[in-house]
Amino acid sequence: MSESTVEIFNGLQQQSSANRTVIIGGGIVGSALAYYLSRNGSSSQIILIDASHSNPQGSTAFAPGFVGQLNSISHLTKVAKESVEAYSKIPGAFQRVGGLEIASTKAGIAELHHRRDLAHAAGLPAEIISSEEASTLAPHFHAQDGQSQALFFSSDGSANAPAIAQFYQAEAKAKGALVVGVKVSSLTSNSISGHFYITTDLGVLEANKVIVATGIWTQELLKSLNVVLPSIPVAHPYAYGPSRPLREIRQPFIRWPEKHIYARDHGDVDGFGTYHHEPSAAAPGQSALFNRVSENAIHDYALSVFPNADQRESKTPYKGFNAMFSVTPDSMPFAGAVPQIPGLYVAAAVWITHAAGVGRMVADLVLGNKLPQEDLETLKAFDVMRFAGDDDEVLKRRALVTYNDIYNKEDHR
């Protein structure tokens, strides 16, 4: 740990914390919060703390980067559209390569047509195309056949989550925010003084407002405040094929919803993953990476959508791994204030797809800005305490069920 970090932290300990907002967690969500809080002219001292902000180890670091805006839950579509608009303004952060969903059964094709109608209702471009057209758009991922159809979302794309987080941090620092690399071990509060005490590896930092944006570590960190959130970390398998030359045209990301498989062009490698397996709840360590003994069988199943030998050539031999992200009982994030603890806010279980939109809304809430009705309705849906009083084990089981329906074909609310 650099001396400058120690000096900065010691200096903060000597200063008044009466007007200080601390964001715990330097992934894409916490970084977006720092950006929006500092950009909007907060009079509060903004501090972002994370043990690995310069070398991310949370879900942000390992996310495949798919950004599909349409969701059957309209609130998620709303924040996804806002996030894509925000990412599109960051150099090198978002590639609008489009997204394909491919189906081959009667029921699957009917679902594609239904999703096209949902997209149009949400103001998103989407069109049903033939198998031949899909193979033209993504020849390394789909081979033409006589039965499948595809749904093409031209405004979807892929995001570089670590680059987005670094951009937001740099912009926040330029506006006066501090980014400090310390490891947080606990968070407590004093109901009389209204202050929070953040215990780190360098000592205790005080604040009068705290935003917890710690991803897979959120559930554990909030326990010391008796705040129970059913934000369940799960391990998800993904794999990279062998290195290859860059293609002349980057291909859309592809989903096979009937088989719970997806794939994308990462530039110099192809990547693929699947949700077609028993969900595995995981206990986070120092990193979002997780070991799973059945990993190879899961990845081999994902390869089943590539019957063409030429397509398989860029996928094998592959390097597989498992990284964690959080699921919730209704597939929606937790975002907003914790009513019983004034000054405490949460932004957790937030996907890359939704991070900027959620970060902006929570920042506006912290700043006391007047929110439009649409934002208020979305924050009500994302209410941090919406499961208060429910049985923990039942909520965990419900959350794990959503893992196998990650694109929300069913409404889990």
Side-chain angles (χ1 to χ4, degrees):
M1 190 172 292
S2 68
E3 184 179 358
S4 60
T5 299
V6 175
E7 291 174 346
I8 291 170
F9 192 87
N10 289 342
L12 290 172
Q13 288 181 305
Q14 304 305 314
Q15 299 170 16
S16 169
S17 60
N19 193 27
R20 173 184 291 165
T21 299
V22 173
I23 304 158
I24 307 176
I28 190 170
V29 184
S31 301
L33 280 159
Y35 168 76
Y36 284 111
L37 285 170
S38 58
R39 187 194 71 165
N40 290 331
S42 172
S43 59
S44 179
Q45 182 185 45
I46 308 300
I47 303 172
L48 173 67
I49 58 178
D50 190 298
S52 59
H53 70 92
S54 59
N55 181 28
Q57 293 298 308
S59 301
T60 295
F62 306 104
F66 293 80
V67 178
Q69 297 166 87
L70 181 66
N71 198 291
S72 61
I73 301 173
S74 60
H75 299 295
L76 293 177
T77 301
K78 170 194 175 297
V79 290
K81 289 173 66 178
E82 181 177 345
S83 297
V84 164
E85 183 179 354
Y87 301 157
S88 298
K89 298 174 183 177
I90 302 173
F94 182 75
Q95 291 190 315
R96 205 179 290 269
V97 294
L100 278 173
E101 294 182 4
I102 298 173
S104 56
T105 67
K106 184 177 180 179
I109 291 170
E111 178 65 18
L112 295 186
H113 284 256
H114 173 62
R115 283 178 56 76
R116 177 199 57 192
D117 295 342
L118 285 178
H120 290 169
L124 292 169
E127 60 176 322
I128 298 292
I129 62 175
S130 66
S131 175
E132 180 181 6
E133 291 170 304
S135 66
T136 300
L137 285 172
H140 295 277
F141 295 93
H142 177 67
Q144 180 182 347
D145 58 52
Q147 60 185 26
S148 64
Q149 290 185 21
L151 178 58
F152 180 56
F153 299 94
S154 60
S155 65
D156 285 350
S158 52
N160 184 332
I164 293 170
Q166 289 299 315
F167 174 86
Y168 281 150
Q169 288 182 25
E171 291 292 302
K173 288 164 69 175
K175 293 289 186 179
L178 292 174
V179 178
V180 185
V182 292
K183 180 182 177 181
V184 174
S185 56
S186 70
L187 171 64
T188 57
S189 68
N190 185 313
S191 59
I192 298 174
S193 68
H195 276 213
F196 295 91
Y197 304 91
I198 305 159
T199 303
T200 78
D201 52 351
L202 289 184
V204 177
L205 185 66
E206 294 185 34
N208 72 318
K209 290 182 181 178
V210 170
I211 311 173
V212 177
T214 47
I216 57 175
W217 294 279
T218 299
Q219 188 181 48
E220 189 64 30
L221 183 61
L222 288 176
K223 282 183 179 178
S224 56
L225 292 171
N226 294 317
V227 176
V228 180
L229 288 191
S231 176
I232 311 301
V234 292
H236 177 60
Y238 196 70
Y240 293 110
S243 180
R244 54 163 174 74
L246 294 174
R247 293 174 180 135
E248 189 172 334
I249 298 176
R250 187 72 66 89
Q251 305 194 23
F253 68 75
I254 322 289
R255 292 171 175 160
W256 292 265
E258 296 166 315
K259 299 181 179 181
H260 301 282
I261 298 172
Y262 64 102
R264 68 160 286 198
D265 180 342
H266 284 274
D268 59 351
V269 297
D270 287 345
F272 56 94
T274 177
Y275 295 93
H276 185 76
H277 56 88
E278 189 72 21
S280 178
Q286 300 300 312
S287 164
L289 289 178
F290 180 80
N291 291 324
R292 182 204 303 264
V293 295
S294 58
E295 176 182 292
N296 288 343
I298 294 170
H299 288 133
D300 287 345
Y301 167 77
L303 285 172
S304 66
V305 295
F306 307 113
N308 186 303
D310 291 339
Q311 292 175 348
R312 281 192 172 233
E313 186 179 355
S314 62
K315 317 290 187 299
T316 55
Y318 59 76
K319 181 180 181 181
F321 66 96
N322 285 271
M324 287 178 267
F325 66 88
S326 299
V327 292
T328 68
D330 58 4
S331 298
M332 291 192 289
F334 295 104
V338 179
Q340 68 269 33
I341 307 179
L344 179 64
Y345 302 83
V346 174
V350 182
W351 283 29
I352 306 300
T353 303
H354 312 119
V358 170
R360 194 273 307 162
M361 283 194 303
V362 175
D364 280 346
L365 190 65
V366 172
L367 292 169
N369 294 338
K370 182 176 175 59
L371 293 166
Q373 186 61 32
E374 191 177 15
D375 283 355
L376 293 173
E377 291 173 0
T378 298
L379 286 171
K380 182 179 180 180
F382 297 169
D383 181 21
V384 176
M385 302 307 297
R386 64 187 182 270
F387 296 110
D390 291 358
D391 182 84
D392 292 348
E393 284 303 312
V394 171
L395 290 172
K396 182 178 179 179
R397 288 196 296 271
R398 282 180 57 191
L400 292 176
V401 166
T402 69
Y403 177 86
N404 295 120
D405 185 29
I406 207 70
Y407 303 125
N408 295 325
K409 285 185 179 181
E410 298 180 18
D411 192 333
H412 298 279
R413 290 175 286 179

